[in-house]
């Protein structure tokens, strides 16, 4: 057998089947297209996602406020003492205490939450705001919402806002001392930027 006619094993022979070799990567153009599509999807869905998060934040805040009112009402009934609740327009929180004393309980809400009400806001002294964050001392607070041992309370109407979502409205019904969510009414939610009343140095 001559050098030109050397035997090549079958296993080493290349067999062409008419198909192009497979490609394992992607081109730069394809990558740009994918990134562009992802960007469009994100820009379209972002408002809906933000709205969803805002709605969840508002609903959680409403639930917490209702629970706080319920706990204070229960404290008043069990202890046989009148309690008060105040909420702030400047900081996302509420405080409560026994009539004539400083705050004993507090509720801190998400920083995106705003509590509004058409009331005469006032500043409170450190004898009312006990063991709270220093920023709360400089905030504007609502008048007291009293809760009595017989289960009744004062009336209150609070608007709960979170970002651009439709606000929620909470009503405290004095006759039964119960707080509940009611249908949002813009005419009831008119909020005036009233000046601060003099500092309340104690329960009023």
């Amino acid at each position: 057998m001559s050098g030109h006619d050397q035997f090549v094993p079958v296993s080493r022979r290349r067999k062409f089947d008419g198909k192009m070799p497979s490609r394992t990567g992607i081109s730069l153009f394809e990558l740009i297209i994918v990134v562009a599509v992802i960007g469009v999807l994100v820009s379209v869905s972002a408002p809906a996602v933000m709205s969803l998060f805002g709605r969840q934040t508002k609903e959680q805040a409403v639930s917490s406020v209702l629970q706080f009112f319920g706990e204070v009402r229960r404290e008043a009934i069990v202890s046989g003492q009148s309690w008060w609740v105040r909420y702030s327009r400047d900081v996302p929180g509420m405080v409560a205490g026994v009539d004539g004393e400083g705050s004993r309980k507090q509720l801190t809400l998400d920083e995106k939450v705003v509590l509004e009400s058409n009331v005469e806001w006032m500043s409170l002294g450190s004898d009312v705001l006990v063991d709270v964050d220093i920023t709360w001392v400089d905030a504007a607070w609502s008048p007291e919402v009293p809760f009595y041992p017989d289960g009744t309370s004062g009336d209150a109407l609070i608007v709960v806002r979170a970002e651009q979502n439709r606000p929620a409205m909470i009503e405290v019904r004095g006759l039964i001392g119960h707080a509940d969510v009611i249908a949002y009414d813009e005419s009831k939610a008119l909020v005036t930027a009233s000046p601060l009343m003099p500092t309340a140095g104690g329960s009023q």
Side-chain angles (χ1 to χ4, degrees):
M1 182 180 294
S2 65
H4 296 287
D5 298 324
Q6 290 181 357
F7 175 74
V8 179
V10 175
S11 60
R12 294 179 59 186
R13 294 178 184 176
R14 292 185 178 181
K15 188 176 181 181
F16 180 70
D17 57 4
K19 296 181 180 180
M20 296 295 293
S22 60
R23 190 178 59 179
T24 58
I26 62 175
S27 68
L28 177 61
F29 177 75
E30 291 171 328
L31 180 61
I32 293 174
I33 293 298
V34 170
V35 172
V37 171
I38 293 175
V40 171
L41 292 176
V42 169
S43 64
V44 170
S45 61
V49 173
M50 294 301 295
S51 177
L52 175 61
F53 286 152
R55 186 164 62 250
Q56 291 177 337
T57 299
K58 181 193 67 179
E59 291 174 354
Q60 179 60 50
V62 168
S63 176
S64 297
V65 170
L66 294 177
Q67 182 178 350
F68 191 75
F69 276 128
E71 290 175 355
V72 173
R73 179 176 183 268
R74 196 158 45 246
E75 289 278 6
I77 294 173
V78 172
S79 67
Q81 296 176 295
S82 295
W83 278 63
W84 54 265
V85 174
R86 294 180 187 266
Y87 48 93
S88 175
R89 71 179 184 188
D90 298 328
V91 294
M94 306 173 70
V95 291
V98 175
D99 184 33
E101 299 180 7
S103 58
R104 291 189 182 182
K105 296 171 64 71
Q106 68 181 69
L107 170 67
T108 303
L109 302 169
D110 189 282
E111 61 181 8
K112 299 183 181 67
V113 174
V114 178
L115 303 179
E116 298 178 346
S117 187
N118 195 9
V119 298
E120 293 185 337
W121 302 94
M122 63 186 66
S123 56
L124 300 178
S126 57
D127 54 337
V128 178
L129 298 173
V130 180
D131 295 331
V132 299
D133 189 282
I134 188 63
T135 59
W136 288 32
V137 177
D138 298 325
W141 293 86
S142 72
E144 291 181 357
V145 181
F147 283 82
Y148 305 109
D150 63 0
T152 62
S153 70
D155 295 324
L157 195 64
I158 305 172
V159 175
V160 182
R161 298 183 185 273
E163 299 182 328
Q164 302 302 316
N165 286 269
R166 181 176 176 81
M169 185 170 282
I170 296 176
E171 180 181 33
V172 181
R173 304 174 192 174
L175 187 61
I176 59 176
H178 183 67
D180 203 358
V181 178
I182 63 173
Y184 180 74
D185 186 341
E186 188 68 36
S187 63
K188 293 181 180 180
L190 295 176
V191 178
T192 58
S194 58
L196 289 182
M197 298 291 288
T199 300
S203 181
Q204 294 185 351

